[in-house]
Structure formats: C-alpha cells, structure tokens
Amino acid sequence: MVGKELCTGCGACGAVCSEKAVAMRPDREGFLYPELDPARCTGCGACGAVCPVSRRERRGGERSCFGARAQSEELRGMGSSGGLFPLLASRVLAQGGAVFGAALLEDGSVRHICVRRREELPRITRTKYVQSDLSQVWGQLRPRLEEGPVLFCGTPCQTDGVRAFLGEDRAGIVLVDLICYGVPSPGVWERYVRYLERRYRGVFRGFSFRDKRAEYGRACSLRVGERELVWPLSKDLFCRTYFKNVNLRPSCFRCGYAAAERTSDLTLGDFWGVEGVRPGFDDRRGCSVVLCHTRAGTELWEQVRDQTRWFACREEDAANESQPRLRTPTRPSSRRGLWMGLYGRIPFPLWLRLAVR
C-alpha cells in the first residue's frame, strides 16, 4: 500500500484481502485510510498489487469529446449539470442492469449503493461534496455483472479502484468518472449535519448541494424536520470550507487523475466555459462535457445521444481555462494545515466560522 499522502481511500486494498487483514478507519481529519492487522496478514501482497495508485495506468490515443444536455427536463432536473448521468443510468436500468452511485443516506452519511429500478435513481443523482464510502459495494460488483450490464459512477480514483479490483474480469461494466475538484472530509460533513440539526432544531432529512431551482444550481437546500430551507451555495459554511480547499483530502493536491487521460470508459462533468466554445448553446440550466475513452464508453454514449442536444468539440475545448481539473490538480490552501490541525480541538461551530474567513 502507498503512503498516506498519496492514498485516495478507495478501499480496493481492503476489498481484495481474503483474510480481512485490512480495514478502512477514519483518521483525525475524518478521512478513511487502510489499517493493517498484522495478526491476520499472511504477507500475500494482494493489497499492494491491487492499489490503483501504485499501479497507475493511463490510456493514450484519441478521445471523443462532446458538449451535451438531456432533452428530458425531468432528467436534467435530476442531474447537477446537463442530466447525462441520469440518462446513461436510465439506459442501463432499461436493459435490466444495475447502477452504482453515491447516495446521501437518511443519517447524512454518503455511501455508494446499487439501484435496480428507475424510481430509485434520484437517490444517486446530483452532486455530493463529500467523499463517499465504497465499503458496501465491493461484494456486489461481480454478482451484478453476472446478471446483466453494470454502470459504476464515482470519482476518478474510485472508478480506478473498481477497475483494479475487478481486473481483467470486468466485461459488461461501464466505468464513468467525474471531473473532480477534490473530495471533502466525511468527518467534517458528519459534524456539519449534526450542527444543522441543532441549529434548526429538527432531524436531518436531506440536503442538496446544488439545488437546480437556482440558476446553474448555485443554491443549497436543507430538509430538516418538516421544513425546507434554501440559501446561496456561496453562503453555505461547509461548501465554503470545500471551495477554500481547507477540508480536501491530502491526496487530492497530488491527484494523478487531473488530466484528460483516464482509466475509465467515460468522463462526465460541468462544461464550464461552454459559452466560449459553442455560443448560444448554454441555457443557464446546466451543460455537461462528455469524454469517451473506450469502445464501451462510446457505445453507451451513442445509445443515448439522440436523446440529447449535443455538439462535438476538441479536447482543448473541454479542458479550457474554466475547467482546469482536466489539466492540473487543485492547489492546497496555505491555511489547510492550520485549520485541519484545529479540527476536533475547538468547538465545531467556531471552527467552521474561523475556517471560512
């Protein structure tokens, strides 16, 4: 296994260990890291062999790039940008397949789950600015592949972990990764949920990080008790720590996936800067960029393309100045060490307000 500063926390090392000698445990910043039990370890080396960071692979060659948005307003409303993930997922479900994605559960935690019916799809759509836990899906991947097509969507490091875990035996799965800014601490998010419950005196029922009732989804909405509250994304305390790079995982600042080259089949993300690439296409309700890396990814995209409004573009159009995460990792805040050092040592509401100043 790689050093802590490079570990993405995907969990493939623990999933592949037949002796259950590797467990994912939160550190003091609230991020999951592998912890080895020497008493159980047989020294087989499987954990190190599966680690996607230590065996980093890249695909060369040409990629097909597109800008797109779903024609269905229902599907666009499900997604945080152009509604492409709900559209792709709906296609796989219609074929009797399964879709894995990140869900915000009733207790506020963010975990990957498997959905088999279209009515369940809203559980795994929309952006969650929290690193999700994959622990519940590792044992489901191969059984679902035996039953039909599978779509897995996650951050680039998560999809690469799934690719490494399945190895050569992954025919039938399409890996979709996201253009990722970085993953915030699940521990900080959990404390924020409890803070919201105390502040608004109710039980947490749900949260939207990018409510599409606002232009470009620039609002957050909270359901607590019987109430719903909405405020600008720029005013949300947790999201401000995220965009100030205070609570991101250390490996995000060295991310090897912040490039157009990926190990996935498809890459999706917001098409920031689309107005400079395709004037008049942007209707201010979200547009997606689609990068097809493999034949499997291209085939799935072509199955849904007629249900979108789309245009072809160049790779440099997708990786424009407004979308730097296709070129370089997010840079660390000079204040991160200070504020994450204080996390857990001073009252959380005070920590939040000081960290976003």
Side-chain angles (χ1 to χ4, degrees):
M1 294 181 285
V2 297
K4 187 174 181 179
E5 72 282 358
L6 296 176
C7 176
T8 65
C10 72
C13 54
V16 79
C17 181
S18 60
E19 302 300 320
K20 302 188 184 304
V22 181
M24 302 299 291
R25 310 282 190 200
D27 72 346
R28 65 167 306 276
E29 294 184 348
F31 293 104
L32 293 175
Y33 286 92
E35 185 177 288
L36 182 67
D37 181 351
R40 288 178 174 267
C41 180
T42 63
C44 69
C47 57
V50 80
C51 177
V53 176
S54 62
R55 50 178 282 182
R56 185 71 51 80
E57 298 179 15
R58 285 290 176 269
R59 293 193 179 103
E62 295 292 324
R63 277 163 295 283
S64 301
C65 303
F66 306 90
R69 62 177 190 259
Q71 293 179 10
S72 165
E73 290 302 314
E74 177 194 7
L75 292 177
R76 288 190 76 189
M78 278 191 202
S80 293
S81 49
L84 266 293
F85 171 63
L87 181 58
L88 295 167
S90 295
R91 176 64 179 174
V92 172
L93 293 175
Q95 296 171 337
V99 180
F100 292 87
L104 179 63
L105 304 184
E106 291 184 357
D107 64 358
S109 63
V110 178
R111 294 178 179 271
H112 263 64
I113 64 170
C114 176
V115 303
R116 304 297 303 275
R117 300 189 303 274
R118 194 179 185 282
E119 56 266 30
E120 298 177 314
L121 191 54
R123 298 185 66 193
I124 60 172
T125 58
R126 299 283 184 90
T127 295
K128 288 93 179 173
Y129 292 141
V130 186
Q131 184 170 30
S132 64
D133 184 348
L134 297 185
S135 60
Q136 296 182 0
V137 308
W138 295 112
Q140 301 181 54
L141 288 168
R142 285 195 173 92
R144 293 292 176 259
L145 273 172
E146 293 173 358
E147 297 170 358
V150 171
L151 176 68
F152 178 94
C153 183
T155 61
C157 52
Q158 289 176 328
T159 59
D160 204 18
V162 170
R163 177 197 60 80
F165 173 75
L166 293 175
E168 298 301 320
D169 186 25
R170 67 179 190 92
I173 188 170
V174 176
L175 299 175
V176 177
D177 67 9
L178 308 170
I179 301 175
C180 180
Y181 184 83
V183 289
S185 163
V188 175
W189 168 249
E190 180 183 5
R191 295 190 68 182
Y192 187 56
V193 169
R194 304 287 86 83
Y195 160 78
L196 292 174
E197 289 181 322
R198 292 192 301 272
R199 179 174 179 181
Y200 295 107
R201 300 180 182 180
V203 176
F204 179 87
R205 302 291 186 191
F207 192 92
S208 176
F209 292 86
R210 287 173 58 183
D211 193 308
K212 293 200 79 171
R213 288 174 292 185
E215 188 177 89
Y216 290 120
R218 289 176 176 163
C220 295
S221 61
L222 166 70
R223 287 185 293 113
V224 58
E226 302 301 319
R227 294 185 294 164
E228 182 179 44
L229 301 98
V230 181
W231 52 75
L233 176 65
S234 61
K235 299 296 183 182
D236 185 77
L237 292 176
F238 177 84
C239 291
R240 287 174 68 187
T241 65
Y242 172 42
F243 290 116
K244 284 182 175 289
N245 305 347
V246 168
N247 68 353
L248 298 185
R249 191 179 184 98
S251 62
C252 296
F253 305 122
R254 304 186 182 191
C255 179
Y257 303 97
E261 299 84 2
R262 301 291 178 98
T263 56
S264 63
D265 299 299
L266 280 169
T267 295
L268 301 177
D270 292 288
F271 202 143
W272 300 125
V274 65
E275 64 278 0
V277 177
R278 189 79 164 191
F281 189 84
D282 183 20
D283 65 355
R284 308 182 76 81
R285 294 199 62 243
C287 176
S288 297
V289 62
V290 182
L291 278 68
C292 300
H293 305 288
T294 67
R295 178 178 294 181
T298 300
E299 288 177 352
L300 181 57
W301 158 245
E302 290 178 345
Q303 289 175 29
V304 304
R305 190 166 60 187
D306 290 345
Q307 300 173 57
T308 72
R309 294 179 174 87
W310 64 277
F311 63 90
C313 63
R314 302 170 301 169
E315 186 176 304
E316 51 265 39
D317 294 330
N320 64 64
E321 291 184 359
S322 298
Q323 186 54 277
R325 298 294 78 81
L326 284 175
R327 293 181 282 117
T328 59
T330 296
R331 297 182 62 182
S333 167
S334 59
R335 303 166 61 197
R336 186 194 184 282
L338 170 64
W339 294 115
M340 291 309 287
L342 289 173
Y343 171 66
R345 296 179 178 173
I346 61 176
F348 185 71
L350 176 62
W351 181 88
L352 267 178
R353 286 175 170 78
L354 291 175
V356 299
R357 282 186 178 178

